[in-house]
Amino acid sequence: MKIEVVDKNGSGILYKLAEAIGASVRGRFVDIPKNLGEGYMTGFTWGNDLRMMIRNYYIKEEIVLERKNEFPEGKENIIFFLSGIFDSSLQQQEHLMAEQPSVSIFMQSVSSVIAMPQNTFFRSITIAASREYLQERFGSLKHPVISNILSPKDTFIYETGISQAIITTASEMIHQPVPESLENHYNKLKCEELLCHIFALLLQREEIPSGSIHIKDIKAIYAIKYHLQANLDKAPDIASLAQDAGMSEPKLRKLFKQTFGKGVFEYYQFMRMQEAARLLKENHLSVSEVGYQLGFTNLSHFSRVFEQHIGLKPKKYSTSNF
């Protein structure tokens, strides 16, 4: 299903999307129609500077959302997209896929096309904040990435992993312990708390120069990311990836690290271990099944790499309570 909406002055797309897919509105909740899936979307708006949308649903049919942005130059919002950050309250089903846990930060104009694959759980929070709002709260932080986010000059996109603090705060938003009369204020505080946790992660990144990136290069870098995700059992070939992306190896390495904060192989290994953790915990596979599925021929090596990334040996992690 292809849907086209116009976002004027950063006004958001929640109710426009609801109307397009035939969803019903229940107070601040938009319920996904049963013929498309199950679950809900909901949103909050605090003036012109801060908005938040929560998605907690799955869909049976692929939806491609094309958004035409109409806002004055230099006035577009900064988007913080936190995906896969809380457990679904819906019944888990084996054929449903889950979003990769991550935080993406980009200018609103970058998000003109949003793809929602079929049979996928969407468990995410999207925050839209004006640059003025962010400058007031985080402008004193000294880091190249943060400076680039707060600057109106350059096109950018950054992605980072998630922290336990982000997961905890997101969970508190889903299971909010306050009466309805306080939920608007409570969620604004939690939204700001999430932004603090995100900026704390950005401060941990290596302080390398961070420049503008062309939309074409963003698409090429993310094509590489999706290739890595689809081939976790095969080590990446940088030369082939660069050729397919139509850029030199040095440019690929530079833009990839600028975007993800990790080199190509480092990021590949990170995603590999995230998938290993998921297979151990959610699919209840054995350590040997997970290791071999992800391309390891030496299980001792797999165990060492897993512990380096996750903090526990695979066997102990599989029986832990987190």
Side-chain angles (χ1 to χ4, degrees):
M1 178 188 301
K2 184 176 179 180
I3 300 171
E4 296 181 1
V5 298
V6 176
D7 186 2
K8 295 185 177 181
N9 300 310
S11 58
I13 60 173
L14 179 61
Y15 293 108
K16 296 172 186 175
L17 176 60
E19 182 180 1
I21 65 175
S24 58
V25 178
R26 174 174 48 91
R28 66 176 177 86
F29 291 91
V30 173
D31 294 319
I32 301 298
K34 293 295 184 183
N35 64 307
L36 282 181
E38 184 180 357
Y40 65 85
M41 298 179 285
T42 188
F44 295 88
T45 299
W46 300 285
N48 296 322
D49 290 322
L50 188 64
R51 300 196 317 272
M52 179 177 68
M53 182 171 75
I54 297 173
R55 299 194 298 170
N56 188 20
Y57 61 84
Y58 78 87
I59 53 175
K60 304 173 186 176
E61 178 183 348
E62 180 181 35
I63 294 177
V64 176
L65 178 67
E66 290 193 3
R67 177 171 63 195
K68 182 179 179 182
N69 299 304
E70 293 185 357
F71 35 71
E73 185 177 352
K75 293 296 183 180
E76 60 183 303
N77 289 322
I78 308 301
I79 305 298
F80 300 81
F81 179 58
L82 299 81
S83 63
I85 59 170
F86 45 78
D87 292 333
S88 174
S89 59
L90 305 171
Q91 178 66 39
Q92 296 282 355
Q93 299 181 42
E94 290 185 3
H95 69 281
L96 294 176
M97 301 294 292
E99 289 179 302
Q100 182 79 15
S102 66
V103 179
S104 299
I105 308 163
F106 46 87
M107 298 165 71
Q108 192 161 351
S109 58
V110 172
S111 61
S112 57
V113 178
I114 302 172
M116 292 177 270
Q118 64 180 356
N119 296 329
T120 301
F121 267 112
F122 295 97
R123 300 173 291 188
S124 65
I125 293 175
T126 303
I127 299 171
S130 71
R131 189 175 275 107
E132 291 77 10
Y133 171 91
L134 296 173
Q135 286 173 335
E136 182 179 340
R137 286 154 180 81
F138 304 106
S140 62
L141 299 178
K142 305 303 180 185
H143 193 284
V145 168
I146 295 175
S147 297
N148 204 40
I149 290 172
L150 299 183
S151 169
K153 298 180 294 183
D154 296 328
T155 301
F156 65 83
I157 184 165
Y158 299 106
E159 185 174 307
T160 183
I162 61 173
S163 63
Q164 186 57 50
I166 287 176
I167 294 172
T168 299
T169 302
S171 177
E172 290 168 349
M173 295 171 80
I174 294 298
H175 308 289
Q176 54 188 15
V178 297
E180 186 175 345
S181 58
L182 289 174
E183 66 178 7
N184 192 60
H185 181 64
Y186 176 83
N187 279 285
K188 182 181 182 183
L189 293 175
K190 289 298 173 182
C191 181
E192 293 179 327
E193 186 177 325
L194 283 176
L195 288 173
C196 287
H197 293 319
I198 292 168
F199 278 89
L201 288 176
L202 294 176
L203 286 172
Q204 297 173 21
R205 290 171 76 121
E206 182 180 348
E207 293 192 29
I208 57 176
S210 182
S212 183
I213 181 171
H214 194 276
I215 295 292
K216 175 176 68 70
D217 290 330
I218 291 175
K219 292 179 179 178
I221 290 298
Y222 267 82
I224 292 170
K225 172 194 170 177
Y226 299 140
H227 174 83
L228 297 179
Q229 284 181 325
N231 296 275
L232 293 177
D233 59 335
K234 300 174 185 175
D237 181 339
I238 303 295
S240 296
L241 293 174
Q243 184 176 8
D244 291 342
M247 62 179 68
S248 67
E249 289 186 40
K251 181 178 180 181
L252 184 155
R253 294 179 188 275
K254 175 182 180 295
L255 293 182
F256 195 95
K257 189 164 187 177
Q258 174 178 307
T259 301
F260 299 106
K262 295 179 172 64
V264 176
F265 185 79
E266 184 186 3
Y267 188 79
Y268 157 76
Q269 202 73 298
F270 165 77
M271 287 198 299
R272 210 179 182 194
M273 293 306 102
Q274 293 295 309
E275 177 64 7
R278 188 189 72 81
L279 292 172
L280 287 167
K281 187 71 73 173
E282 296 183 13
N283 291 27
H284 307 294
L285 299 186
S286 68
V287 173
S288 59
E289 287 173 327
V290 173
Y292 292 135
Q293 183 169 320
L294 292 175
F296 286 89
T297 56
N298 185 321
L299 292 180
S300 295
H301 178 55
F302 166 58
S303 182
R304 287 195 300 271
V305 174
F306 186 91
E307 187 175 14
Q308 289 171 1
H309 282 79
I310 306 300
L312 294 173
K313 291 189 180 298
K315 184 66 175 176
K316 188 172 183 179
Y317 178 82
S318 66
T319 58
S320 65
N321 294 322
F322 53 87

